[in-house]
Amino acid sequence: MKILSSFLGLFSVLIAYGLFKIDIPYILSMILAIIFSIPLISFFKNFYIFKLTHNIGDILNYQCDPKKYIEKNSELLENRILKNRIEYYFFLLNIAVGYFSLGNSEKAILTAHKIPEKKIKENFYFNVAYNYNLGIFYSSKENWQMGKIFLENLKDIYTNLKNSPKNKNGNFILSYTDNNKKYEYVPEIKLKEIEIMIEEIEVLLGKENNKFQEAIEFYEKKFKMQSTTYGRCFSKYYLAFAYEELNDFDKMKESLEFVAENGNALHIAEVARDILKNYSNFI
């Protein structure tokens, strides 16, 4: 195909010279200008997308405003430049997370399932985010069977990454063969991140067998690791209910107070406030 393109390019030069008597150096300089402008156009397009989406995660992660988060991501879905790009599907997954944060797990799951399977698997980071979030959605709904399916998907991703070759910089090399062969380079630190994701879904699934002490140990650790308000609130929320099951009501109250004070418009913050209003009657 590249040879054919080269012949066509040469043929075009000869036609331009023969018919219009345009100087060959001028023709060549025009062709070179077009060739070099292609990566430049791609750069500015990617820069535009970066500016468009920069800090959108802060709306949920730090402001804890899921309604605004859904609105902003929905606006981005209307941008024609993003159609069929992986960013488009990230925004759709973001909307699903927004619904989950509003306490609407059913709509979160329905939204996430609109994403084509082919798109999920063509990007490593999206594949991880999708399976992790679906594992969380289903586990939180106590749909243990579906939660286990996405847990296994995440474990497969982890195993595939761990067994992949590395380049000289120590990054894993993931290759995809689907018409065009492409590669993704993934830093080794992602293994640890996926391990934590796997452990979290296992902890949530452990509720089926009353493994509340394991949940406390995990979420106490995760709370200390978290930098986002969103992540810290969810850690405390899950801790509150684990403490309740073990009849440690003082720590339950302490955890709920953190969520109520910091969770803003998150559904879990509203739940925490309601429980605290009736706390004296609750125990």
Side-chain angles (χ1 to χ4, degrees):
M1 193 66 188
K2 289 182 179 178
I3 294 172
L4 179 61
S5 300
S6 301
F7 275 122
L8 288 173
L10 179 61
F11 191 56
S12 300
V13 170
L14 293 174
I15 289 174
Y17 177 73
L19 292 179
F20 305 110
K21 301 300 180 185
I22 301 172
D23 290 341
I24 288 179
Y26 178 77
I27 296 168
L28 291 174
S29 65
M30 289 298 292
I31 290 171
L32 286 171
I34 292 167
I35 290 169
F36 285 115
S37 70
I38 291 169
L40 199 61
I41 291 167
S42 178
F43 168 80
F44 280 114
K45 189 175 181 180
N46 289 332
F47 182 72
Y48 168 75
I49 291 169
F50 170 77
K51 292 292 287 182
L52 201 63
T53 61
H54 188 52
N55 291 335
I56 194 168
D58 290 357
I59 297 169
L60 191 63
N61 287 330
Y62 297 100
Q63 299 171 30
C64 294
D65 189 341
K67 285 184 180 177
K68 186 178 176 183
Y69 188 65
I70 291 169
E71 287 168 8
K72 289 293 182 183
N73 279 281
S74 297
E75 286 171 15
L76 288 167
L77 290 185
E78 299 301 315
N79 192 310
R80 287 166 56 188
I81 288 180
L82 298 171
K83 287 287 183 185
N84 296 319
R85 290 178 63 101
I86 194 63
E87 290 89 350
Y88 178 91
Y89 298 100
F90 265 110
F91 300 136
L92 194 54
L93 184 59
N94 287 348
I95 291 169
V97 173
Y99 284 125
F100 176 74
S101 305
L102 283 174
N104 194 339
S105 296
E106 201 61 48
K107 197 161 186 180
I109 289 167
L110 287 172
T111 302
H113 280 305
K114 290 178 183 177
I115 300 168
E117 189 174 347
K118 182 182 175 184
K119 287 293 177 184
I120 296 164
K121 293 184 176 179
E122 72 177 26
N123 178 278
F124 170 79
Y125 295 96
F126 189 70
N127 200 7
V128 170
Y130 180 87
N131 283 286
Y132 168 69
N133 279 293
L134 267 291
I136 296 291
F137 296 167
Y138 278 113
S139 300
S140 298
K141 270 176 60 70
E142 298 189 1
N143 187 332
W144 313 125
Q145 185 178 357
M146 289 300 295
K148 286 171 186 173
I149 288 172
F150 289 99
L151 172 62
E152 290 306 313
N153 289 349
L154 205 52
K155 285 182 176 179
D156 288 344
I157 295 168
Y158 176 84
T159 301
N160 183 46
L161 181 63
K162 193 173 183 179
N163 294 332
S164 295
K166 290 183 180 180
N167 63 12
K168 62 182 181 181
N169 296 321
N171 295 325
F172 291 107
I173 306 168
L174 294 179
S175 62
Y176 302 83
T177 307
D178 183 18
N179 297 327
N180 298 315
K181 192 161 187 177
K182 68 169 189 170
Y183 299 93
E184 279 188 284
Y185 301 94
V186 180
E188 190 171 5
I189 194 171
K190 289 296 169 187
L191 277 177
K192 184 63 180 174
E193 292 177 16
I194 300 171
E195 282 175 9
I196 294 169
M197 293 176 186
I198 288 169
E199 188 179 355
E200 181 167 15
I201 297 172
E202 286 176 336
V203 161
L204 289 174
L205 291 171
K207 186 180 176 184
E208 182 183 15
N209 298 310
N210 301 319
K211 294 183 178 180
F212 300 113
Q213 187 57 46
E214 288 87 341
I216 288 169
E217 290 170 7
F218 174 80
Y219 280 110
E220 287 284 10
K221 180 177 66 176
K222 187 174 182 185
F223 177 80
K224 291 174 184 175
M225 292 167 52
Q226 281 293 317
S227 59
T228 68
T229 309
Y230 178 89
R232 288 164 74 84
C233 281
F234 266 94
S235 293
K236 283 291 187 183
Y237 183 74
Y238 290 130
L239 276 170
F241 290 98
Y243 282 129
E244 178 197 354
E245 294 291 341
L246 297 180
N247 297 318
D248 192 339
F249 296 110
D250 288 341
K251 286 192 175 179
M252 183 196 88
K253 182 173 180 281
E254 179 190 316
S255 298
L256 288 174
E257 283 173 343
F258 182 93
V259 180
E261 289 169 13
N262 296 282
N264 189 21
L266 296 175
H267 175 68
I268 58 172
E270 294 171 4
V271 171
R273 291 174 198 127
D274 286 341
I275 293 172
L276 289 168
K277 274 182 193 174
N278 303 298
Y279 181 72
S280 57
N281 299 326
F282 180 76
I283 58 173

